[in-house]
Amino acid sequence: MRLAILSRSVSIHTTRRLVEAARARGVRPRVVDPLEVEMGLGDEPAVYWRRRRFPRVDVVVPRIGLSIHQYGLAVVSQLELMGVPVLNGAYGLAASRDKMRSLQLLAAAGVRVPRTVMASDPSGLKEMVRLVGGVPVLVKLLSTNEKSGVMLCESLESLEATLEAILGLGQNIVVQQYVRGARGRDLRVIVVGGEAAAAMRRTAPAGRFSRTLRRGAQFEAADLPPAFARAAVEAARVLRLEVCAVDMLDVKGRPLVFEVNGSPSIREAEAACGVDLAGKIVDRAVAVARAVAPDRPAARRASVNP
Protein backbone atom coordinates (compact mmCIF):
# COMPACT_ATOMS: atom_id res chain seq x y z
CA MET A 1 0.00 0.00 0.00
CA ARG A 2 1.39 3.39 -1.02
CA LEU A 3 0.30 6.54 0.83
CA ALA A 4 1.15 10.12 -0.13
CA ILE A 5 0.93 12.91 2.44
CA LEU A 6 0.49 16.38 0.95
CA SER A 7 2.50 18.52 3.35
CA ARG A 8 5.15 21.21 3.19
CA SER A 9 7.62 19.23 5.32
CA VAL A 10 8.12 15.95 7.15
CA SER A 11 9.38 18.01 10.10
CA ILE A 12 5.82 19.15 10.85
CA HIS A 13 4.67 17.17 13.86
CA THR A 14 1.42 15.76 12.45
CA THR A 15 3.10 14.85 9.17
CA ARG A 16 5.92 13.10 10.97
CA ARG A 17 3.45 11.13 13.10
CA LEU A 18 1.56 10.02 9.98
CA VAL A 19 4.82 8.80 8.43
CA GLU A 20 5.66 6.87 11.60
CA ALA A 21 2.21 5.33 11.82
CA ALA A 22 2.25 4.30 8.16
CA ARG A 23 5.62 2.60 8.45
CA ALA A 24 4.51 0.78 11.59
CA ARG A 25 1.64 -0.70 9.55
CA GLY A 26 3.71 -1.71 6.56
CA VAL A 27 2.35 1.16 4.47
CA ARG A 28 4.88 3.00 2.30
CA PRO A 29 4.54 6.74 2.97
CA ARG A 30 5.81 9.59 0.82
CA VAL A 31 5.64 13.26 1.78
CA VAL A 32 4.85 15.48 -1.21
CA ASP A 33 5.09 19.26 -0.96
CA PRO A 34 1.99 20.60 -2.77
CA LEU A 35 3.98 23.56 -4.05
CA GLU A 36 6.25 21.13 -5.92
CA VAL A 37 3.29 19.64 -7.79
CA GLU A 38 2.45 20.79 -11.31
CA MET A 39 -0.93 20.21 -12.95
CA GLY A 40 -2.04 20.08 -16.55
CA LEU A 41 -5.33 19.98 -18.43
CA GLY A 42 -6.01 19.28 -22.08
CA ASP A 43 -6.81 16.01 -23.79
CA GLU A 44 -6.62 14.44 -20.33
CA PRO A 45 -5.62 15.69 -16.86
CA ALA A 46 -2.03 15.24 -15.75
CA VAL A 47 -0.15 15.81 -12.53
CA TYR A 48 3.60 16.01 -11.95
CA TRP A 49 5.90 16.21 -8.96
CA ARG A 50 9.23 18.00 -9.30
CA ARG A 51 8.66 18.02 -13.06
CA ARG A 52 8.45 14.25 -13.20
CA ARG A 53 5.45 11.97 -13.24
CA PHE A 54 3.55 11.86 -9.98
CA PRO A 55 4.45 8.74 -7.97
CA ARG A 56 2.09 5.77 -7.95
CA VAL A 57 -0.09 6.02 -4.87
CA ASP A 58 -3.11 4.19 -3.52
CA VAL A 59 -4.41 7.05 -1.37
CA VAL A 60 -3.54 10.65 -0.51
CA VAL A 61 -3.84 12.39 2.86
CA PRO A 62 -3.89 16.19 2.40
CA ARG A 63 -2.33 18.42 5.03
CA ILE A 64 -3.02 21.83 3.50
CA GLY A 65 -1.99 24.87 5.54
CA LEU A 66 -3.48 28.36 5.28
CA SER A 67 -0.46 29.81 3.52
CA ILE A 68 -0.89 27.49 0.51
CA HIS A 69 -4.63 26.97 0.69
CA GLN A 70 -5.58 27.91 -2.87
CA TYR A 71 -2.79 26.05 -4.61
CA GLY A 72 -3.06 23.06 -2.30
CA LEU A 73 -6.79 22.91 -2.94
CA ALA A 74 -6.14 22.86 -6.70
CA VAL A 75 -3.73 19.93 -6.25
CA VAL A 76 -6.32 17.97 -4.27
CA SER A 77 -8.97 18.71 -6.91
CA GLN A 78 -6.65 17.52 -9.68
CA LEU A 79 -5.92 14.25 -7.91
CA GLU A 80 -9.64 13.67 -7.38
CA LEU A 81 -10.29 14.45 -11.04
CA MET A 82 -7.83 11.72 -11.95
CA GLY A 83 -9.50 9.13 -9.73
CA VAL A 84 -6.93 9.05 -6.95
CA PRO A 85 -8.60 8.37 -3.55
CA VAL A 86 -8.15 11.35 -1.23
CA LEU A 87 -8.79 11.44 2.51
CA ASN A 88 -10.53 14.84 2.78
CA GLY A 89 -11.48 16.04 -0.66
CA ALA A 90 -11.46 19.55 -2.07
CA TYR A 91 -15.12 20.18 -1.17
CA GLY A 92 -14.60 19.53 2.54
CA LEU A 93 -11.30 21.39 2.75
CA ALA A 94 -12.75 24.44 1.02
CA ALA A 95 -15.95 24.40 3.07
CA SER A 96 -14.17 24.10 6.40
CA ARG A 97 -11.69 26.87 5.54
CA ASP A 98 -14.56 29.25 4.69
CA LYS A 99 -15.77 29.91 8.22
CA MET A 100 -19.07 31.55 7.37
CA ARG A 101 -19.91 29.05 4.64
CA SER A 102 -19.24 26.12 6.95
CA LEU A 103 -21.58 27.55 9.58
CA GLN A 104 -24.24 28.12 6.91
CA LEU A 105 -23.97 24.49 5.80
CA LEU A 106 -24.11 23.21 9.36
CA ALA A 107 -27.09 25.35 10.30
CA ALA A 108 -28.95 24.29 7.16
CA ALA A 109 -28.40 20.65 8.13
CA GLY A 110 -29.77 21.16 11.62
CA VAL A 111 -26.44 21.31 13.49
CA ARG A 112 -26.71 23.93 16.23
CA VAL A 113 -24.24 26.83 15.88
CA PRO A 114 -23.71 29.96 18.02
CA ARG A 115 -25.22 33.34 17.16
CA THR A 116 -22.99 34.73 14.42
CA VAL A 117 -22.77 37.94 12.40
CA MET A 118 -20.49 38.80 9.48
CA ALA A 119 -19.44 42.19 8.12
CA SER A 120 -16.90 43.69 5.74
CA ASP A 121 -16.30 46.79 7.88
CA PRO A 122 -14.63 46.22 11.28
CA SER A 123 -15.62 49.73 12.44
CA GLY A 124 -18.99 48.25 13.40
CA LEU A 125 -17.42 45.65 15.69
CA LYS A 126 -19.10 46.91 18.86
CA GLU A 127 -22.56 46.70 17.30
CA MET A 128 -21.81 43.20 16.03
CA VAL A 129 -20.88 42.17 19.57
CA ARG A 130 -24.19 43.52 20.85
CA LEU A 131 -26.09 41.51 18.23
CA VAL A 132 -24.58 38.22 19.42
CA GLY A 133 -25.28 38.93 23.09
CA GLY A 134 -22.21 40.79 24.33
CA VAL A 135 -18.78 39.67 25.52
CA PRO A 136 -17.16 37.20 25.59
CA VAL A 137 -17.08 36.79 21.80
CA LEU A 138 -14.91 35.20 19.15
CA VAL A 139 -13.66 37.61 16.49
CA LYS A 140 -12.52 35.87 13.31
CA LEU A 141 -10.56 37.38 10.45
CA LEU A 142 -11.64 35.80 7.19
CA SER A 143 -8.72 35.26 4.85
CA THR A 144 -7.04 32.37 3.04
CA ASN A 145 -3.55 33.29 4.16
CA GLU A 146 -1.58 33.20 7.38
CA LYS A 147 -3.13 36.48 8.58
CA SER A 148 -6.31 34.61 9.44
CA GLY A 149 -6.96 34.13 13.11
CA VAL A 150 -9.47 33.66 15.88
CA MET A 151 -9.37 36.09 18.79
CA LEU A 152 -11.17 35.55 22.06
CA CYS A 153 -12.36 38.85 23.52
CA GLU A 154 -13.37 38.45 27.13
CA SER A 155 -13.93 42.12 28.00
CA LEU A 156 -14.67 45.48 26.44
CA GLU A 157 -11.00 46.38 26.94
CA SER A 158 -9.78 43.42 24.91
CA LEU A 159 -12.43 44.25 22.31
CA GLU A 160 -10.96 47.75 21.95
CA ALA A 161 -7.49 46.25 21.49
CA THR A 162 -8.84 43.87 18.88
CA LEU A 163 -10.53 46.72 17.02
CA GLU A 164 -7.28 48.67 16.90
CA ALA A 165 -5.43 45.59 15.62
CA ILE A 166 -7.72 44.81 12.70
CA LEU A 167 -8.92 48.25 11.53
CA GLY A 168 -7.60 48.98 8.08
CA LEU A 169 -6.62 45.39 7.24
CA GLY A 170 -9.42 45.20 4.67
CA GLN A 171 -10.54 41.74 5.82
CA ASN A 172 -14.07 40.50 6.34
CA ILE A 173 -14.78 39.60 9.95
CA VAL A 174 -17.13 37.30 11.79
CA VAL A 175 -18.21 37.89 15.36
CA GLN A 176 -19.56 34.89 17.17
CA GLN A 177 -21.24 34.24 20.48
CA TYR A 178 -18.89 32.57 22.96
CA VAL A 179 -20.81 30.93 25.78
CA ARG A 180 -18.66 29.88 28.67
CA GLY A 181 -18.74 26.19 29.47
CA ALA A 182 -17.73 24.63 32.75
CA ARG A 183 -14.80 26.64 34.21
CA GLY A 184 -14.32 28.57 30.97
CA ARG A 185 -13.48 25.63 28.72
CA ASP A 186 -14.63 24.57 25.30
CA LEU A 187 -14.51 21.14 23.71
CA ARG A 188 -12.52 19.90 20.70
CA VAL A 189 -13.42 16.56 19.12
CA ILE A 190 -11.24 14.82 16.55
CA VAL A 191 -13.36 12.87 14.07
CA VAL A 192 -11.80 10.11 11.96
CA GLY A 193 -13.84 8.06 9.51
CA GLY A 194 -17.20 9.03 10.97
CA GLU A 195 -16.22 8.28 14.57
CA ALA A 196 -15.31 10.58 17.45
CA ALA A 197 -11.73 9.41 18.03
CA ALA A 198 -10.63 11.81 20.79
CA ALA A 199 -12.09 14.63 22.85
CA MET A 200 -10.43 17.25 24.99
CA ARG A 201 -11.29 20.36 26.94
CA ARG A 202 -9.41 23.49 25.93
CA THR A 203 -8.82 26.29 28.43
CA ALA A 204 -7.81 29.67 27.07
CA PRO A 205 -5.42 31.91 29.07
CA ALA A 206 -7.30 33.89 31.71
CA GLY A 207 -7.64 37.64 31.52
CA ARG A 208 -6.38 38.14 28.00
CA PHE A 209 -7.17 37.43 24.38
CA SER A 210 -4.86 35.72 21.91
CA ARG A 211 -4.59 35.58 18.14
CA THR A 212 -5.83 32.02 18.24
CA LEU A 213 -7.45 29.95 20.94
CA ARG A 214 -4.68 27.40 20.59
CA ARG A 215 -1.89 29.80 21.62
CA GLY A 216 -1.24 29.50 25.33
CA ALA A 217 -4.24 27.21 25.86
CA GLN A 218 -4.17 24.12 28.02
CA PHE A 219 -5.69 20.79 26.97
CA GLU A 220 -6.99 17.85 28.95
CA ALA A 221 -8.87 14.69 28.00
CA ALA A 222 -12.64 14.87 28.31
CA ASP A 223 -15.48 12.38 28.50
CA LEU A 224 -17.66 12.89 25.46
CA PRO A 225 -21.43 12.85 26.05
CA PRO A 226 -23.40 11.09 23.29
CA ALA A 227 -25.04 14.31 22.10
CA PHE A 228 -21.65 15.94 21.59
CA ALA A 229 -20.27 12.91 19.77
CA ARG A 230 -23.28 12.92 17.46
CA ALA A 231 -22.89 16.64 16.76
CA ALA A 232 -19.20 16.22 15.92
CA VAL A 233 -19.81 13.28 13.60
CA GLU A 234 -22.71 15.07 11.91
CA ALA A 235 -20.59 18.19 11.37
CA ALA A 236 -17.92 16.07 9.69
CA ARG A 237 -20.55 14.37 7.53
CA VAL A 238 -22.12 17.64 6.42
CA LEU A 239 -18.75 19.07 5.38
CA ARG A 240 -17.70 15.72 3.80
CA LEU A 241 -14.57 15.39 5.93
CA GLU A 242 -13.03 12.04 6.82
CA VAL A 243 -10.67 13.71 9.30
CA CYS A 244 -11.37 16.95 11.14
CA ALA A 245 -11.43 18.76 14.45
CA VAL A 246 -14.83 19.99 15.58
CA ASP A 247 -14.85 22.80 18.15
CA MET A 248 -17.93 23.07 20.33
CA LEU A 249 -19.34 24.98 23.26
CA ASP A 250 -21.29 23.38 26.07
CA VAL A 251 -24.49 25.35 26.59
CA LYS A 252 -26.57 23.80 29.35
CA GLY A 253 -25.52 20.32 28.27
CA ARG A 254 -26.19 20.94 24.57
CA PRO A 255 -23.47 21.35 21.93
CA LEU A 256 -22.97 24.42 19.77
CA VAL A 257 -20.49 23.86 16.94
CA PHE A 258 -18.49 27.03 16.32
CA GLU A 259 -15.74 25.80 13.98
CA VAL A 260 -14.52 22.81 11.96
CA ASN A 261 -10.89 22.36 10.93
CA GLY A 262 -10.16 20.08 7.98
CA SER A 263 -6.38 19.91 8.54
CA PRO A 264 -6.08 19.75 12.33
CA SER A 265 -2.93 19.25 14.35
CA ILE A 266 -3.05 16.01 16.32
CA ARG A 267 -0.22 16.86 18.74
CA GLU A 268 -2.41 18.15 21.58
CA ALA A 269 -5.07 15.46 21.25
CA GLU A 270 -2.57 12.59 21.21
CA ALA A 271 -0.75 14.01 24.23
CA ALA A 272 -3.88 14.80 26.24
CA CYS A 273 -5.94 11.72 25.37
CA GLY A 274 -3.26 9.07 24.86
CA VAL A 275 -4.85 8.08 21.55
CA ASP A 276 -2.90 7.02 18.46
CA LEU A 277 -4.69 9.40 16.12
CA ALA A 278 -2.01 9.11 13.46
CA GLY A 279 -2.62 5.36 13.39
CA LYS A 280 -6.37 5.85 13.13
CA ILE A 281 -5.93 8.26 10.21
CA VAL A 282 -3.62 5.87 8.36
CA ASP A 283 -6.02 2.98 9.02
CA ARG A 284 -8.88 5.03 7.59
CA ALA A 285 -6.81 5.96 4.54
CA VAL A 286 -6.06 2.28 3.92
CA ALA A 287 -9.75 1.42 4.27
CA VAL A 288 -10.71 4.14 1.77
CA ALA A 289 -8.12 2.85 -0.70
CA ARG A 290 -9.36 -0.71 -0.35
CA ALA A 291 -12.98 0.36 -0.75
CA VAL A 292 -12.23 1.58 -4.26
CA ALA A 293 -9.95 -1.35 -5.09
CA PRO A 294 -12.01 -2.50 -8.12
CA ASP A 295 -11.36 0.89 -9.74
CA ARG A 296 -7.70 1.14 -8.82
CA PRO A 297 -6.26 0.14 -12.20
CA ALA A 298 -7.94 3.17 -13.80
CA ALA A 299 -6.84 5.43 -10.96
CA ARG A 300 -3.26 4.24 -11.19
CA ARG A 301 -3.19 4.83 -14.92
CA ALA A 302 -4.39 8.35 -14.27
CA SER A 303 -1.67 8.98 -11.69
CA VAL A 304 1.11 8.06 -14.12
CA ASN A 305 1.70 10.88 -16.56
CA PRO A 306 2.65 10.33 -20.19
Side-chain angles (χ1 to χ4, degrees):
M1 180 73 68
R2 300 178 180 90
L3 181 148
I5 304 166
L6 291 180
S7 173
R8 293 303 313 279
S9 173
V10 72
S11 65
I12 298 172
H13 178 84
T14 298
T15 302
R16 184 172 67 252
R17 285 286 298 118
L18 291 172
V19 169
E20 294 169 351
R23 289 173 176 165
R25 287 159 172 76
V27 175
R28 285 180 283 179
R30 184 190 297 267
V31 177
V32 175
D33 184 344
L35 295 186
E36 295 178 342
V37 175
E38 297 89 24
M39 297 160 283
L41 296 170
D43 293 334
E44 60 182 31
V47 62
Y48 305 87
W49 182 43
R50 297 175 178 173
R51 296 175 177 81
R52 299 179 179 179
R53 68 183 186 183
F54 197 83
R56 289 177 177 266
V57 295
D58 296 290
V59 64
V60 173
V61 178
R63 297 287 309 166
I64 306 299
L66 276 172
S67 62
I68 61 165
H69 170 70
Q70 292 298 337
Y71 196 85
L73 200 63
V75 172
V76 174
S77 295
Q78 187 83 354
L79 292 170
E80 290 184 293
L81 178 64
M82 299 175 67
V84 179
V86 176
L87 201 69
N88 280 3
Y91 176 92
L93 291 172
S96 64
R97 195 57 56 79
D98 185 334
K99 302 308 179 187
M100 193 64 180
R101 176 59 175 159
S102 64
L103 292 174
Q104 290 169 334
L105 292 171
L106 293 174
V111 177
R112 297 180 71 242
V113 301
R115 290 193 297 272
T116 303
V117 293
M118 179 180 178
S120 60
D121 182 4
S123 64
L125 189 58
K126 289 184 178 180
E127 177 62 18
M128 295 170 71
V129 170
R130 186 188 68 80
L131 291 173
V132 300
V135 292
V137 295
L138 295 179
V139 178
K140 303 182 180 184
L141 309 184
L142 301 186
S143 176
T144 55
N145 58 40
E146 290 182 319
K147 293 182 180 179
S148 298
V150 180
M151 290 169 279
L152 172 61
C153 295
E154 301 177 281
S155 67
L156 292 177
E157 289 77 14
S158 65
L159 177 62
E160 292 284 356
T162 300
L163 183 60
E164 291 179 7
I166 65 177
L167 271 173
L169 290 180
Q171 292 177 301
N172 296 330
I173 59 173
V174 163
V175 173
Q176 196 169 69
Q177 170 193 24
Y178 188 81
V179 183
R180 286 299 193 188
R183 293 175 295 200
R185 299 176 297 179
D186 56 59
L187 186 68
R188 165 162 285 200
V189 181
I190 306 296
V191 177
V192 180
E195 295 183 359
M200 54 186 175
R201 293 283 179 185
R202 179 174 53 182
T203 307
R208 57 183 286 267
F209 73 90
S210 60
R211 183 173 180 273
T212 70
L213 282 178
R214 181 182 169 190
R215 181 175 297 173
Q218 296 180 338
F219 299 85
E220 60 181 350
D223 293 328
L224 191 61
F228 287 75
R230 288 193 297 270
V233 170
E234 179 64 5
R237 186 196 67 79
V238 170
L239 298 186
R240 304 182 194 174
L241 291 167
E242 289 280 353
V243 179
C244 64
V246 181
D247 294 332
M248 296 184 285
L249 301 172
D250 184 342
V251 181
K252 298 180 180 179
R254 300 179 66 191
L256 287 181
V257 175
F258 67 87
E259 189 163 335
V260 180
N261 186 335
S263 292
S265 167
I266 62 173
R267 182 198 294 265
E268 296 85 4
E270 286 196 329
C273 304
V275 177
D276 179 14
L277 287 173
K280 289 181 178 293
I281 293 170
V282 171
D283 288 342
R284 182 58 184 168
V286 170
V288 167
R290 288 176 175 166
V292 296
D295 297 327
R296 286 306 294 153
R300 283 188 174 178
R301 284 197 300 272
S303 68
V304 179
N305 302 288

